Amino acid sequence: MNYRVISCEKTKDKIIEALKDLCVIYPSDIYEKMLRAKDEEKGRAVKAMEMLIENARIAEEENIPICQDTGMVIVYLHLGHGMSFDGDINKTINEAVAYSYDRYYLRKSVVDDPLFDRTNTKDNTPCIIYTDFVDSDHLEIEIMAKGFGSENMSAVKMLKPAEGIDGVKDFVIDTVKKAGPNACPPMIVGVGIGGTFEYAAYMAKHSLMKGMDEYHSDERYRKLEEDLLEEINKLDIGPLGLKGKNTCFKVNIESYPTHIAGLPVAVNICCHACRHIKVEVYED
């Protein structure tokens, strides 16, 4: 096997470039969905969608964040075969985040201790970093800036296997119902099914990285995504909680084998500002 070395400096530059626009410009497919959603609504929901669209226009034109909550950064590193870095990649990623949040005037929201001190770190680090290995000839980096209005509405539940598909549906829909307007709908709903307690949550979060035209590869899960989307939109929470057809833009499911005694399910909700981007890095 030929071993390939990825430059930390090049990786840092790629992340900085990605973060420059991540909190300012909507992913194009989500923005297009917002435009379509406006035409589907009536009454106050139309006004709500017009406000969101106008906000998106101002943010991009004036180069200011879509939302004051510019999130906590989550980074997924997908390493190809035989790859390594020429330095401390975790340190490099955090340096890129710190630089970007200062350089681009993004709100710094991370505190150093979750329970006692809760002192702001003043550079939005540390971020959350996941690493896995894939069949590839390059490094792929997925980056998300996750706001906590919607993050706080997320949940995990250890269902009994006998609860099956109905148990999954009930839990997902109940979680969204409890979130109501607090998750800043229209929302994207990520669902992780299987694995273990913590892996279900990982999958739910990672599923939010999917594009609007990406679905589960298993037709049974794809149908479940569609059924959940339909049922969630029947809740009539609507844009910004003002009632309407578009409570949720999309439901994304990731699944994984699990133990015979368990059926872990996690729901990770994201607001309409589902800020995510993918970049690629090749060896020099």
Side-chain angles (χ1 to χ4, degrees):
M1 178 184 292
N2 293 323
Y3 287 91
R4 298 185 293 280
V5 177
I6 298 294
S7 163
C8 282
E9 194 63 29
K10 181 189 288 188
T11 304
K12 181 178 180 179
D13 290 343
K14 287 275 190 178
I15 294 172
I16 290 171
E17 184 62 26
L19 288 172
K20 178 181 179 181
D21 294 329
L22 186 60
C23 292
V24 173
I25 302 173
Y26 275 91
S28 59
D29 55 352
I30 294 179
Y31 182 73
E32 289 166 7
K33 176 63 178 174
M34 291 171 65
L35 295 175
R36 295 195 300 272
K38 178 180 73 71
D39 294 335
E40 295 168 358
E41 296 292 358
K42 296 179 180 179
R44 292 185 301 172
V46 175
K47 294 295 184 183
M49 291 307 306
E50 287 176 345
M51 288 170 59
L52 294 178
I53 292 166
E54 176 69 1
N55 181 72
R57 181 191 65 78
I58 293 171
E60 184 169 356
E61 288 183 0
E62 299 189 15
N63 195 36
I64 56 178
I66 297 165
C67 174
Q68 65 175 341
D69 183 356
T70 51
M72 189 170 188
V73 176
I74 298 101
V75 177
Y76 300 90
L77 297 176
H78 305 293
L79 275 168
H81 292 311
M83 286 187 171
S84 63
F85 294 97
D86 63 359
D88 185 338
I89 189 59
N90 286 356
K91 179 181 178 183
T92 297
I93 292 170
N94 279 296
E95 287 175 349
V97 171
Y99 174 86
S100 299
Y101 272 69
D102 184 61
R103 173 66 178 81
Y104 305 129
Y105 305 103
L106 305 176
R107 194 182 80 182
K108 305 168 183 73
S109 303
V110 174
V111 296
D112 60 357
D113 178 87
L115 182 59
F116 297 105
D117 298 332
R118 293 190 67 84
T119 302
N120 196 299
T121 62
K122 299 182 179 180
D123 61 7
N124 219 54
T125 70
C127 59
I128 308 296
I129 303 171
Y130 297 104
T131 305
D132 67 355
F133 299 92
V134 296
D135 184 10
S136 172
D137 65 350
H138 62 278
L139 165 67
E140 182 179 87
I141 309 171
E142 295 179 304
I143 307 171
M144 176 184 293
K146 187 65 166 64
F148 263 60
S150 56
E151 184 79 355
N152 287 339
M153 298 296 105
S154 303
V156 178
K157 188 171 184 179
M158 304 301 287
L159 298 179
K160 297 179 178 65
E163 293 179 79
I165 190 169
D166 288 337
V168 172
K169 285 183 175 180
D170 288 346
F171 173 58
V172 174
I173 293 167
D174 187 57
T175 301
V176 174
K177 188 185 298 184
K178 289 177 179 176
N182 295 317
C184 295
M187 60 188 77
I188 312 292
V189 177
V191 181
I193 304 174
T196 54
F197 177 86
E198 82 286 352
Y199 198 68
Y202 169 88
M203 290 189 291
K205 173 66 62 59
H206 185 256
S207 75
L208 296 174
M209 298 294 301
K210 290 182 180 179
M212 296 298 288
D213 60 350
E214 294 182 76
Y215 302 90
H216 200 289
S217 58
D218 186 318
E219 286 298 322
R220 298 167 299 175
Y221 285 98
R222 177 167 182 165
K223 185 176 186 307
L224 181 56
E225 289 174 333
E226 294 169 350
D227 290 347
L228 283 169
L229 179 61
E230 181 179 353
E231 291 301 315
I232 289 170
N233 282 327
K234 286 180 181 178
L235 295 174
D236 195 34
I237 296 169
L240 301 182
L242 296 175
K243 298 187 179 297
K245 296 180 178 180
N246 288 277
T247 296
C248 179
F249 280 161
K250 195 165 186 290
V251 176
N252 296 324
I253 295 176
E254 288 192 10
S255 58
Y256 196 80
T258 192
H259 191 279
I260 57 172
L263 179 56
V265 183
V267 179
N268 193 223
I269 298 175
C270 190
C271 68
H272 50 87
C274 191
R275 299 163 297 198
H276 59 82
I277 193 169
K278 297 180 183 180
V279 296
E280 296 177 347
V281 184
Y282 292 83
E283 64 179 321
D284 290 323

